[in-house]
Amino acid sequence: MRIYLRLSSNTTVVPYNYQQHLVGAFHKWLGQNELHDDISLYSLSWLTHLGHPKSKAHKTKEGLTFPHGAELFISSPLQDLHKKAVDGIFKDQQINWGMHVTEVIMKPTPDFGNRHRFLAQSPILIQRKPEGAKHQQYYYYTDSQSGEYLTETMSRKLERAGIVADISISFDSAYTKPYLKKVTYRNIDIKGTMCPVIVEGDPRAVQFAWEVGVGNSTGIGFGALNHTLTKF
């Protein structure tokens, strides 16, 4: 399931590195929870405009302005998470920058079949700490191991959710305009890949990928997915 939140226009500039504030609002809505340190069986999107040309965000040197409001989504297979989030939103609609939730729209998970191409709504983060290394290593669409690591992470999430299903995830090698996008989260610069992914496997596993996002750190806004009508 996915919750789409319609937001009011902002009254102060939204900084480009706004994601941690959305994460803060999300956990405020949930109340006391243990999700901070757990594997993320949910994904949070980035802010988007509402779909028509005149509603696009205005970019300035300082940040973003959404004169007609914006939208974000919370996506998860966990019904209790959605219920807690909605209850929290009704108690306190405020986010930041003068923006608040004006509408909550709940949508069930579509049936994608056993193979689907998803768009990256936010940068896809892949990180691993090699044995003996002091720091995390990041992987991108250019690295041969990326598909293996995306699949590995999703398999762990399926196992955590108690779902027995096969799955395979890879970047769409036919896509001609993949790129890296830098994100600063809590003063740390991180690069992720903007490129569609192809998810194959049991139909429930393909749905699950849409619900929880792909790659690492989906709980702080990486790897959120949108679906298209294009199927293979």
Side-chain angles (χ1 to χ4, degrees):
M1 182 173 283
R2 182 169 286 185
I3 303 174
Y4 290 91
L5 305 179
R6 296 283 176 87
L7 310 181
S8 65
S9 58
N10 53 303
T11 57
T12 60
V13 175
V14 179
Y16 287 108
N17 301 319
Y18 61 76
Q19 197 62 35
Q20 70 186 68
H21 297 287
L22 296 187
V23 175
F26 171 66
H27 285 281
K28 174 187 71 173
W29 294 328
L30 286 184
Q32 187 68 30
N33 66 82
E34 299 176 354
L35 293 177
H36 288 284
D37 301 317
D38 203 358
I39 187 170
S40 299
L41 297 183
Y42 60 94
S43 65
L44 301 177
S45 76
W46 283 19
L47 294 175
T48 59
H49 62 84
L50 296 178
H52 51 86
K54 291 183 179 180
S55 71
K56 286 187 176 181
H58 297 168
K59 296 181 179 181
T60 68
K61 184 178 180 181
E62 291 76 23
L64 301 165
T65 297
F66 295 88
H68 298 278
E71 183 178 80
L72 72 138
F73 63 74
I74 301 167
S75 186
S76 175
L78 306 176
Q79 293 186 6
D80 188 54
L81 180 147
H82 290 292
K83 182 180 184 303
K84 287 182 178 179
V86 171
D87 288 346
I89 290 167
F90 284 134
K91 292 176 183 176
D92 183 357
Q93 298 84 28
Q94 302 302 316
I95 296 181
N96 208 323
W97 321 290
M99 301 181 83
H100 62 274
V101 178
T102 61
E103 186 177 4
V104 177
I105 303 170
M106 302 186 73
K107 292 187 178 181
T109 302
D111 181 5
F112 300 111
N114 58 16
R115 180 181 174 96
H116 199 86
R117 178 181 183 266
F118 294 98
L119 297 177
Q121 199 272 352
S122 60
I124 296 170
L125 175 64
I126 305 172
Q127 59 183 16
R128 291 293 186 278
K129 189 176 182 181
E131 186 176 353
K134 293 184 178 180
H135 304 288
Q136 296 278 358
Q137 182 171 335
Y138 296 90
Y139 298 85
Y140 311 107
Y141 69 95
T142 51
D143 295 305
S144 60
Q145 308 101 311
S146 292
E148 174 189 346
Y149 291 151
L150 288 173
T151 301
E152 179 182 88
T153 299
M154 190 60 63
S155 296
R156 287 179 56 224
K157 292 190 175 188
L158 283 164
E159 182 179 1
R160 178 63 64 85
I163 299 174
V164 179
D166 292 327
I167 197 165
S168 175
I169 305 175
S170 61
F171 286 117
D172 182 2
S173 59
Y175 185 64
T176 59
K177 296 180 180 180
Y179 65 95
L180 300 182
K181 186 172 181 63
K182 186 177 78 170
V183 180
T184 302
Y185 188 85
R186 297 193 181 279
N187 299 317
I188 299 175
D189 290 338
I190 306 170
K191 286 183 179 179
T193 295
M194 294 297 294
C195 178
V197 293
I198 296 174
V199 181
E200 301 178 83
D202 182 274
R204 179 64 191 107
V206 178
Q207 290 179 308
F208 185 83
W210 182 78
E211 291 171 332
V212 303
V214 297
N216 299 104
S217 299
T218 59
I220 60 172
F222 290 93
L225 299 179
N226 276 334
H227 69 277
T228 70
L229 296 178
T230 304
K231 293 189 178 183
F232 291 77

